[in-house]
């Protein structure tokens, strides 16, 4: 254990140091206080063992991988693992080509809590190595040419088509997303993430490098975590802009808290998450700890609810993840029909977007986020992508939903110079 002289300087050096390796992962709570987060930030670097697989038996392979190593593992779940869980397909265009599932046992693992760094894996001397690491900043190239996969009119037409499904009773709610992308994109992933994390610091932010593929995430949402025998999910549904005027900002926050439409969206997803957790819970243990909590981030206010349960000891914790995946906030209700309509109306494969990344500890605790507000980058093909979306209900105004998408995209567009 040791206390670095300058915590932000140590954090920056640790990320740049980790990025030397072919694989690394960094999670940052950005000093948001959370009852369930084990560390303020954590860095995993280099690989001793890894698992990479596509949809077929990915969750079973992960169970075997964890059982074999019984060690800290870090990794991600692609949204398209839905096809393994349900009778679904993913046939839309994919410019990124991330694997459906990837996990690794790191060679080095450094955790930071309450001002102290601790080496969980690797030699203690790695802290000195990080402390004296020389930062080598590259000049970022000019702003990228960001394109939208859908025009505003196309987006509105698709929202109206989804509302028609709601009117017919096919679904109650669906999360519909659109892609922003850049081809021939050259970025410095670490510097881009650092800028994103400065512009939009969030409690589940992270940087994940797997060879030439990168996740640069400013997500505010937790998918699922396990602490002891307790499972906790915290879906987000409900978004409002921030204002620099303090009085107006408080008024916007109050309006969100009392917005009937936003509450209706939120409670539908809460019910869906309760149903998903019931599959893994001790009977009668599923409860809503907080309904319609309002939390503020630099660009937006969000409505977040917290649902928890006691894990049935006969259910493997990885099966509990599978039982709740993909997360209700990014699908809709009923879940399977919503995912079918997502595939039909979206034009880009989601891949890692609206999937999840996180870590599992040797004692079976875990924490996984929701991959939103995230830049995805394939350095080999030079393809950069990010997606934004929102919940469509019958009450949705398509033009306003489009504006909400732009609001959610604003931090990333600012970072990329778009």
């Amino acid at each position: 254990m040791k206390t670095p002289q300058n915590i932000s300087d140590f954090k920056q050096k640790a990320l740049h140091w980790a990025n030397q390796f072919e694989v690394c992962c960094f999670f940052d709570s950005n000093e948001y206080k959370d009852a369930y987060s084990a560390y303020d930030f954590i860095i995993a670097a280099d690989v001793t063992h890894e698992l990479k697989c596509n949809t077929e038996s990915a969750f079973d392979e992960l169970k075997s991988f964890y059982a074999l190593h019984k060690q800290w593992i870090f990794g991600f779940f692609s949204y398209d693992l839905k096809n393994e869980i349900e009778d679904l397909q993913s046939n839309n265009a994919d410019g990124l080509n991330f694997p459906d599932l990837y996990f690794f046992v790191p060679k080095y693992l450094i955790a930071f809590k309450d001002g102290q760094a601790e080496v969980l894996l690797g030699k203690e001397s790695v802290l000195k190595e990080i402390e004296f690491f020389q930062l080598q900043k590259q000049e970022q190239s000019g702003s990228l040419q960001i394109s939208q996969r859908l025009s505003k009119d196309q987006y509105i037409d698709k929202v109206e088509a989804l509302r028609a499904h709601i009117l017919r009773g096919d679904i109650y709610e669906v999360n519909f997303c659109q892609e922003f992308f850049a081809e021939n994109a050259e970025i410095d992933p670490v510097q881009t993430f650092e800028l994103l994390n400065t512009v939009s610091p969030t409690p589940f932010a992270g940087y994940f490098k797997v060879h030439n593929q990168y996740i640069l995430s400013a997500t505010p949402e937790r998918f699922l975590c396990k602490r002891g025998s307790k499972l906790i999910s915290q879906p987000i549904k409900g978004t409002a802009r921030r204002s620099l005027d303090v009085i107006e900002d408080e008024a916007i926050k109050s309006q969100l808290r009392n917005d009937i439409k936003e509450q209706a969206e939120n409670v539908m997803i809460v019910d869906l998450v309760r149903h998903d957790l019931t599959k893994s819970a001790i009977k009668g243990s599923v409860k809503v700890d907080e309904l319609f909590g309002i939390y503020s981030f630099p660009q937006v206010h969000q409505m977040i609810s917290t649902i928890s349960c006691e894990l049935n000891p006969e259910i493997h914790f990885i099966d509990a993840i599978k039982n709740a995946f993909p997360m209700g906030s990014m699908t809709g209700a009923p879940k399977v029909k919503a995912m079918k309509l997502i595939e039909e109306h979206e034009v880009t494969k989601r891949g890692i977007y609206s999937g999840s990344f996180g870590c599992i500890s040797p004692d079976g605790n875990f924490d996984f986020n929701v991959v939103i507000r995230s830049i995805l980058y394939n350095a080999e093909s030079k393809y950069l992508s990010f997606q934004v979306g929102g919940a469509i209900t019958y009450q949705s105004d398509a033009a306003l939903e489009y504006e909400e998408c732009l609001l959610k995209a604003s931090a990333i567009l600012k970072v990329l110079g778009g």
Side-chain angles (χ1 to χ4, degrees):
M1 303 277 290
K2 69 170 291 185
T3 304
Q5 294 297 309
N6 183 314
I7 294 170
S8 61
D9 181 58
F10 177 82
K11 185 194 294 188
Q12 184 184 35
K13 285 184 174 181
L15 177 56
H16 283 258
W17 167 83
N19 194 60
Q20 299 176 97
F21 301 101
E22 286 294 305
V23 176
C24 69
C25 185
F26 169 65
F27 296 111
D28 191 0
S29 70
N30 283 300
E31 299 180 15
Y32 284 91
K33 297 305 177 187
D34 174 80
Y36 307 111
S37 291
Y39 299 104
D40 298 329
F41 62 88
I42 190 166
I43 298 255
D46 208 358
V47 175
T48 58
H49 306 281
E50 65 182 344
L51 170 68
K52 181 189 292 187
C53 54
N54 289 323
T55 295
E56 276 186 13
S57 57
F59 287 98
D60 285 340
E61 288 187 52
L62 178 59
K63 275 198 277 190
S64 298
F65 183 76
Y66 179 78
L68 178 64
H69 300 293
K70 283 287 177 137
Q71 186 48 272
W72 281 94
I73 61 171
F74 291 71
F76 59 74
F77 302 100
S78 156
Y79 168 80
D80 298 289
L81 287 171
K82 66 183 174 62
N83 305 334
E84 178 176 317
I85 300 166
E86 305 289 350
D87 183 17
L88 298 168
Q89 294 182 323
S90 298
N91 297 316
N92 290 324
D94 179 10
L96 291 161
N97 296 305
F98 277 72
D100 287 331
L101 181 145
Y102 178 86
F103 275 81
F104 75 103
V105 177
K107 182 176 179 181
Y108 303 102
L109 181 58
I110 300 108
F112 201 92
K113 184 75 172 179
D114 299 328
Q116 290 192 312
E118 179 180 1
V119 178
L120 302 179
L121 290 173
K123 295 179 179 178
E124 192 78 17
S125 59
V126 74
L127 294 178
K128 280 286 185 189
E129 197 176 319
I130 292 170
E131 189 178 338
F132 292 105
F133 186 78
Q134 294 297 309
L135 297 179
Q136 296 178 333
K137 294 210 169 188
Q138 299 178 10
E139 287 296 316
Q140 286 277 48
S141 56
S143 62
L144 301 174
Q145 181 62 49
I146 306 293
S147 302
Q148 286 178 245
R149 195 62 71 180
L150 296 175
S151 68
K152 183 176 181 179
D153 287 345
Q154 288 172 321
Y155 176 89
I156 287 173
D157 287 346
K158 285 178 176 290
V159 169
E160 292 301 338
L162 289 166
R163 287 180 69 246
H165 280 284
I166 295 169
L167 184 62
R168 285 202 297 270
D170 297 333
I171 50 169
Y172 306 108
E173 177 176 6
V174 62
N175 187 279
F176 177 62
C177 301
Q178 59 171 316
E179 184 192 25
F180 293 68
F181 68 99
E183 296 174 308
N184 299 311
E186 294 188 31
I187 64 167
D188 181 311
V190 172
Q191 288 178 236
T192 302
F193 170 73
E194 287 176 328
L195 183 55
L196 179 63
N197 205 29
T198 300
V199 169
S200 186
T202 56
F204 305 105
Y207 177 94
F208 207 131
K209 172 187 178 182
V210 181
H211 305 290
N212 290 311
Q213 294 171 310
Y214 297 84
I215 307 169
L216 319 177
S217 183
T219 177
E221 184 170 358
R222 170 182 274 134
F223 160 47
L224 193 66
C225 80
K226 176 177 173 286
R227 293 289 173 261
S229 61
K230 187 176 184 178
L231 295 176
I232 306 102
S233 183
Q234 295 180 296
I236 293 178
K237 269 290 162 278
T239 303
R241 68 180 178 88
R242 298 295 307 268
S243 172
L244 295 175
D245 181 278
V246 175
I247 295 173
E248 183 186 29
D249 195 55
E250 281 301 313
I252 292 168
K253 189 175 177 179
S254 178
Q255 185 178 8
L256 175 61
R257 180 180 289 110
N258 298 296
D259 189 303
I260 300 301
K261 172 186 172 291
E262 301 284 22
Q263 288 183 354
E265 289 180 10
N266 192 286
V267 81
M268 283 184 205
I269 298 308
V270 167
D271 284 344
L272 178 56
V273 172
R274 287 171 63 212
H275 175 264
D276 285 346
L277 290 185
T278 298
K279 300 172 192 174
S280 308
I282 292 174
K283 189 174 181 180
S285 70
V286 178
K287 62 179 182 178
V288 179
D289 301 271
E290 182 180 32
L291 188 64
F292 308 150
I294 304 298
Y295 294 82
S296 299
F297 303 98
Q299 276 73 38
V300 292
H301 299 294
Q302 303 273 201
M303 185 181 284
I304 305 175
S305 294
T306 301
I307 307 99
S308 69
C309 73
E310 290 294 317
L311 177 62
N312 183 334
E314 295 179 7
I315 302 288
H316 194 289
F317 68 83
I318 290 172
D319 287 325
I321 296 171
K322 181 179 180 180
N323 287 340
F325 195 85
M327 59 291 301
S329 62
M330 295 305 295
T331 51
K335 196 172 187 178
V336 174
K337 181 61 175 177
M339 289 191 287
K340 287 180 179 177
L341 290 172
I342 286 168
E343 175 67 17
E344 183 181 329
H345 288 84
E346 292 182 2
V347 296
T348 305
K349 184 177 177 180
R350 286 194 179 182
I352 192 63
Y353 172 72
S354 76
S356 178
F357 71 95
C359 60
I360 302 172
S361 72
D363 59 3
N365 283 336
F366 62 75
D367 207 344
F368 287 93
N369 64 15
V370 177
V371 181
I372 54 174
R373 322 286 162 84
S374 301
I375 299 167
L376 306 175
Y377 181 54
N378 186 320
E380 187 174 8
S381 63
K382 298 183 180 179
Y383 188 86
L384 180 146
S385 168
F386 67 95
Q387 296 195 47
V388 290
I392 307 303
T393 65
Y394 184 69
Q395 288 77 26
S396 293
D397 179 309
L400 292 179
E401 293 293 341
Y402 182 81
E403 292 305 315
E404 184 177 307
C405 283
L406 295 184
L407 173 63
K408 290 173 177 175
S410 61
I412 291 178
L413 289 171
K414 182 177 180 181
V415 166
L416 297 175

